[in-house]
Amino acid sequence: MKTNDNIPASLVEDVAAQVSKHKSPKALAKAAITLVIAIAAGLATIYGNMEAQSWCPMCLGCLSVICLLLTIAYLFFSKPELKYNGSKINGYQFYFNNPSTAAIRIAIRDKDKKALLSFLNKNEIGLRLNVAISEDGSMKRMRFFKYEPFEYKPEGEIIEIDADTAQFIEEL
């Protein structure tokens, strides 16, 4: 499952000097669009509806307020994306019901999709695999995390993966 919201800090802790956080261009575009809609609705409420029925200015005013709140949410509360030496990092996260990291590593090494799919768990408990792959391919790594009550703790070291394995994981 591809996810950019959950790249654990412990997966990139050793290269933290090359990792930077940036506002997502999508979040900035959404903020700009909702701000334009809010301004247009506000101006239409003020100037265009002096003699209109009361429901029309009320709806435009509500639309304006909602769009302003969305703009604030996109600008200040959207999660920043991580970049490694200027290249965006894509994160992948998988949950497994098999507690054996060795069996999962063998399935990944052998690119055995059937075995990996049989190990997958729909629930967010058990063993978790986080993978971080930069878009330019300069960083490809994975790490297992084991669920202990109320949190995931790293299980083993960071594992550097090759390009074929990274492509296999991206296709899952």
Side-chain angles (χ1 to χ4, degrees):
M1 167 192 319
K2 184 174 181 179
T3 174
N4 291 327
D5 293 337
N6 192 9
I7 299 174
S10 63
L11 187 58
V12 293
E13 66 190 355
D14 59 332
V15 291
Q18 290 95 6
V19 174
S20 59
K21 293 182 180 183
H22 298 277
K23 275 289 182 204
S24 168
K26 290 180 184 178
L28 295 175
K30 288 178 184 178
I33 290 169
T34 55
L35 183 62
V36 167
I37 292 171
I39 291 171
L43 291 175
T45 301
I46 293 170
Y47 295 111
N49 295 308
M50 296 294 185
E51 308 259 336
Q53 298 287 334
S54 64
W55 64 268
C56 188
M58 180 189 69
C59 289
L60 288 173
C62 287
L63 177 65
S64 180
V65 168
I66 290 169
C67 286
L68 284 174
L69 291 174
L70 283 173
T71 301
I72 291 168
Y74 289 138
L75 284 177
F76 299 110
F77 300 111
S78 64
K79 188 152 182 147
E81 62 183 25
L82 297 178
K83 291 189 176 185
Y84 177 73
N85 290 334
S87 178
K88 181 181 171 192
I89 300 173
N90 291 320
Y92 300 89
Q93 181 169 279
F94 304 95
Y95 294 95
F96 298 103
N97 56 15
N98 186 345
S100 170
T101 59
I104 296 168
R105 287 178 68 180
I106 290 170
I108 291 172
R109 182 195 66 202
D110 296 342
K111 295 171 187 56
D112 188 358
K113 189 173 185 177
K114 185 177 179 181
L116 271 179
L117 292 177
S118 70
F119 294 151
L120 283 179
N121 188 3
K122 299 286 184 202
N123 299 327
E124 296 182 1
I125 58 171
L127 190 65
R128 182 179 82 192
L129 173 66
N130 281 88
V131 183
I133 302 171
S134 63
E135 287 185 343
D136 67 352
S138 60
M139 180 177 71
K140 300 176 287 290
R141 52 180 40 196
M142 66 182 192
R143 189 173 202 177
F144 288 96
F145 293 84
K146 192 165 195 161
Y147 185 76
E148 294 180 6
F150 307 114
E151 67 180 322
Y152 279 93
K153 298 206 176 183
E155 179 80 10
E157 297 299 316
I158 295 172
I159 303 165
E160 297 291 331
I161 56 178
D162 61 357
D164 291 336
T165 305
Q167 183 179 4
F168 172 71
I169 289 173
E170 287 175 332
E171 292 171 358
L172 279 179

